[in-house]
Amino acid sequence: MQALYGAKANLLSLTSVFCAPLVEHVAMDEGVAGTPRCRAINDYVFDAIGRIKPDIVIVGGYYAQYDHEANWRYPGFLDAMVAGARRLHGEGVRSIIIAGEVPTWAPVLPILVGRDVLEHGQAAEFARVGVRPDSLETDRELAAKDWGEGVRYVSQAAKLCGAEGCRRLIGGKLPQDLLAVDYGHYSVNGSLFAVRSEERRVGKECRSRWS
């Protein structure tokens, strides 16, 4: 985003780790994310957005973690996130873009690609082996939600996966052209590829706000 829009807009990042995003009232008895730390962070983020009143809020996160993983599951997370997005729009954020769940891998993507290179001398650009079905399931569930006016869910899995499986490489140079550096975090080149791939879908809206 900085590379595409940094000269046209003020960009601010509000980030944290291991806290379910967009949950307005974090329940203290709902999984590991239900902690005083996460409640304080989420309260701060909602308050900051209310003060700043940005034209556009872009939300990202490892949603499948809070939807499926036993150690991190936050019951009711998907609906709570929808409610949080609706609240932001109701309080004046004109446009909210949910950057959808990415396909994740087990074991980590570098191991999967490395095995192929060692066994076959090359690695396929797309593959089904190792794709975690829970990440694709969470993406489908989120894509089917009624997000309401002013909120748009942009499925990254729909862009990265197809009949041949999910994308693993964005070019022929390894390791820099791996899409992800672990189970799902984009590499530097992967991040640029993902943003540029989605730029046609969300870029028109961003340009209309920032022109």
Side-chain angles (χ1 to χ4, degrees):
M1 295 300 295
Q2 181 68 37
L4 285 172
Y5 302 115
K8 301 178 181 179
N10 293 321
L11 304 180
L12 173 66
S13 176
L14 297 170
T15 61
S16 180
V17 295
F18 303 136
C19 292
L22 276 189
V23 178
E24 179 182 1
H25 300 297
V26 176
M28 301 296 284
D29 59 348
E30 298 290 321
V32 176
T35 62
R37 169 183 171 272
C38 286
R39 173 175 282 184
I41 288 170
N42 282 26
D43 287 346
Y44 172 82
V45 169
F46 275 97
D47 289 345
I49 292 173
R51 292 194 309 271
I52 297 166
K53 301 187 185 306
D55 288 331
I56 299 175
V57 169
I58 299 175
V59 180
Y62 182 19
Y63 314 122
Q65 175 173 255
Y66 306 107
D67 189 29
H68 286 280
E69 292 191 12
N71 289 339
W72 298 102
R73 191 167 183 270
Y74 191 92
F77 164 61
L78 301 187
D79 288 333
M81 189 167 71
V82 172
R86 284 171 168 258
R87 173 198 165 182
L88 288 180
H89 179 69
E91 293 183 351
V93 180
R94 291 183 292 172
S95 180
I96 300 155
I97 298 169
I98 312 296
E101 177 63 59
V102 299
T104 57
W105 305 85
V108 295
L109 186 59
I111 289 178
L112 290 165
V113 170
R115 285 176 181 172
D116 283 357
V117 172
L118 288 173
E119 293 176 7
H120 309 293
Q122 61 182 2
E125 187 178 11
F126 291 82
R128 292 191 184 92
V129 175
V131 178
R132 290 182 53 165
D134 60 335
S135 60
L136 302 184
E137 180 182 336
T138 295
D139 175 71
R140 288 191 295 268
E141 291 178 0
L142 287 172
K145 294 288 184 184
D146 178 8
W147 290 89
E149 183 181 355
V151 186
R152 186 172 0 153
Y153 181 82
V154 179
S155 172
Q156 296 188 78
K159 187 72 176 180
L160 294 171
C161 302
E164 297 177 321
C166 294
R167 178 178 289 279
R168 305 189 300 175
L169 306 174
I170 59 170
K173 296 181 180 180
L174 293 175
Q176 58 264 45
D177 282 341
L178 283 165
L179 182 71
V181 298
D182 52 18
Y183 64 88
H185 290 99
Y186 285 134
S187 65
V188 172
N189 287 353
S191 294
L192 293 171
F193 175 87
V195 172
R196 287 167 179 158
S197 295
E198 298 299 338
E199 198 272 339
R200 287 185 180 180
R201 288 201 274 178
V202 302
K204 183 177 180 181
E205 183 171 349
C206 292
R207 285 193 295 271
S208 69
R209 303 290 190 202
W210 299 337
S211 59

